[in-house]
Amino acid sequence: MAKTILIVDDSASLRQVVSIALKGAGYETLEACDGQDGLNKLKGQKVHLIISDVNMPVMDGITFVTELKKLPEHRFTPVIMLTTEAGDSMKQRGQAAGAKAWVVKPFQPAQMLTAVTKLVMP
Amino acid sequence: MEMKTHSADGVMHLALQGEFTIYDAGIKDELLALCAGPRVEIDLSQVNEIDSVGVQLLLLVLRQAQMQQRSLRLVALHPAVNTMFELYDLHQTFGLDNNGELPS
Amino acid sequence: MSTDDVLQTFVAEARELLLGMEDSLLALERDPRDGEAISATFRAIHTIKGSAGLFSLDQLVAFAHVAETLLDLVRDGRVAVDGDLIALLLECSDYLGFLINQIAGEEVADAATQEARRPTLLARLQACIASSVAPSASQAESPRQAPPSAVPAAGEVADPVHNDAWHISLRFGPEVLKNGMDPASFLRYLGTLGEIAHITTLWQQMPAPEAMDAENCYLGFELDFRSEASREAIDSTFDFVRDDCRITLLPPRSSIDDYLKLIAEAPEGLERLGEILVASGALSQAELERALERQRQAAPPALGEMLIQEDGIPAPVVQAALEKQAKGRENRSAATRFIRVDAEKLEDLINQVGELVIAGASATLLSQRSGDTALIEAMAQVGRHVEEIRDRALSLRMVEIGESFNRFPRVVRDVSRELGKDIELVITGAETELDKTVVEKIGDPLMHLVRNSMDHGIESIEERLARGKPAQGRLSLHAYHESGSIVIEVADDGGGLKRDKILAKAMDRGLVAPGQALTDRDVFNLIFEPGFSTAEQVTNLSGRGVGMDVVRRNISALRGSIDIESQEGVGTTMRIRLPLTLAIIDGFLIQVADSAFVLPLDLVQECMELPDGERLQSRGQSSHYLDLRGEALPCLRLRNLLNLEGESSQRENVVIVQYGNRRAGLVVDRLLGEFQTVIKPLGQIFRHLRGFSGSTILGTGEVALILDVPTLVHDASGREARLLGESNAGQAIGSEQPA
């Protein structure tokens, strides 16, 4: 059974590229355009890993993770946060919220795939 | 996860079914209680997913049984459990051979 | 989906983000403390950079990175927001737009000039970054400790062991499982880098049942690992748990001291770990004993040194800030729920709906002829649905005019700086909807009008003050719906048009005959004549090769019209009136002689029978007036106007149409009722005909021409004004109504 990964980012092109890379490796993907959308997409859905941006409209990634940790069905799902070198203080806040895995933007699809396979094998 | 029990000939047979993961951490006390008899067999053939929490709980009931000198055996492993045991090299710990079978 | 498609998505997305960023920067200019605008600007750059990285657009990434660094400092309040910063960021936005255009594969005319801006912009960004103030204490980040791992120097390992595999010692922190980090997944990943030759799972640290939190991790591992991978690669396996995990990585043939250290620090105790290492083959019994011997000789303090686990992450109180961020921007989220559809697909759909409308009309006609009541009712039902589908299909292409207003804040800002004027732009009615195809084509004429108002309309600051006006000029863009049209006004509070000057110039150019009586409106409209320009001085805004005549031509091409209201010293309003859609209209079918014609129903005000007396009077004339409840209504007799011959009906009818604030009566033979009209362009041979805007196909299959009401109304009242003017000293008559 393929593992399902939720990609939460306000950039459609980023979601698409990541999705193509992950699907190529045998994962299934879901996409959401912000944290709120991400929470909606999780409803009734088994997800093995979440990739989330920090800076997003409507609901940012930190709030998203904080909310995620309140969902009994999903609170232990690993989250890879996307950050920038500039965002170290953001990283601390994210870690406090429970997001321990970080990937620095910009990244190559292969880098993302490596990060994902560390946490969930296809 | 679901737990089904029946006993026959003084052996408590416990069948675990479904996913055995961190979301099932809450079954710890119930599991310990069910495994408290003198002779217990745990059937893992229906456990289609297991993570380290599941492994730890199995190790916990095993250790309790050993400490109290009770008999606790795993009688069948789902491939998912077998793979996990291989990764952690736990077959011998549970008294199984490397194929997940009970030594004859 | 191919990567190329995704690149197109990226280009479209980046352009939208840049537009949004411009909005935010302008908002920031109004209120430098607008935190949301700062965040939005940061987010735009951040997202562009993040996505660009996926496509290896290194030029773009490198530039965006510097801008992002600056914006991050701005967000932290370490760089102040001022006019210069906003100007710089706007220029960066322009430059990024240029890069995006290049990525999109578009020809960029002044590519070299654009590219030349890069070093300057980068230098200015760096200067701003350098000017940042130090972070306050609360923002300072605690220095990170280096990951605890032994670092053997290659080639000079003292007293190496025989083990030719890597030895990896792992003790996972209690929280890892709750964070979704299962040790099993890291071991599986490690398996992709090489072979785990031996593993010992340590679970003895697991507490008694009552003390055990089943969600915590109590596992540790000692493993021997054969791999060609580099130390970095192996080490990076544990990147995500480095903070929560004690990791020791010993390369093949490490020094026995390193093993000693490992054994000494093991929570399981010296003896136990020693046994494990020997059992796993990492160390021989002899090596273990040698290590233990050294340990006994060594000074206790050195051994007592423990690996220091990294401190837990300070958990600052962030809730308030987060809540604030989560709010607002809700309108932005609506945008992300949209689906991108190829405009051509919509075009196709609308064309199909057009065909459906025609086929439906034909079927309705046949049903009526059949006299079958049930069929007629059924067709009427179908007709209502077709009408609904038509409206829905057309509404798919309706977009808010705000889309074309978006660029004006920037234009007004830049141009007013250039001109040394202070101009405030007020936009109202940006949510007014109209057909996407119209929106696309109205951009350029609007731009010209806006520039014209800023350049020629609004006076210089000195002039304004001298006239007792506020120094800040006001330019407003206003859109609204009015009887089936959309009206867009470009208004300024400038000097207004100078009637005498225009008239003098028009005479000079031979556009009007001396002594010809003209209304104010007629005079003002002269500025739309080809080759007319009143600017005394050609600034770099004018002279773009586009005159007001082109503006009018563009608007006419959209079946629209433009007129001017102006009062000297007070201001000018240019009013563009456009049809909401170019595809399908509700028509009103009339008959003159044997031919059917269509009028846009929206423009029809009322119908009346032509009174007998009037009828006699008007015979043989194409134009006259009708006394409509005391109002002199100019009338056109279409039969005469169009030179149609054929049987005339006993009674003639007048259809009163209104366009803008002018009204006119059209004398026709029969009124045939409402008719859904799919507009087809006129064939080549009809193009030159004045008074028709298109054609349509009737249910019978016959072709009917669509009358161009604006032109007819204009002709009717113009003719009338001239006729009256000759006898009445140029008094403006017309049947004007307040708009």
Side-chain angles (χ1 to χ4, degrees), chain C residues 119 140 186 195 387 461 536 555 603 645:
Chain C
F186 300 107
E195 182 209 350
E387 207 168 306
I461 294 178
E536 285 154 4
I555 291 170
L603 304 180
E645 287 176 17

Side-chain angles (χ1 to χ4, degrees), chain A residues 42-48 50 67-77, chain B residues 19 21-23:
Chain A
L42 284 171
K43 281 178 191 141
Q45 176 72 41
K46 176 152 180 167
V47 167
H48 296 84
I50 296 168
E67 291 300 313
L68 177 78
K69 293 284 165 193
K70 295 177 190 164
L71 301 177
E73 308 284 306
H74 297 286
R75 60 197 182 111
F76 302 121
T77 311
Chain B
E19 294 169 7
T21 67
I22 188 163
Y23 295 102

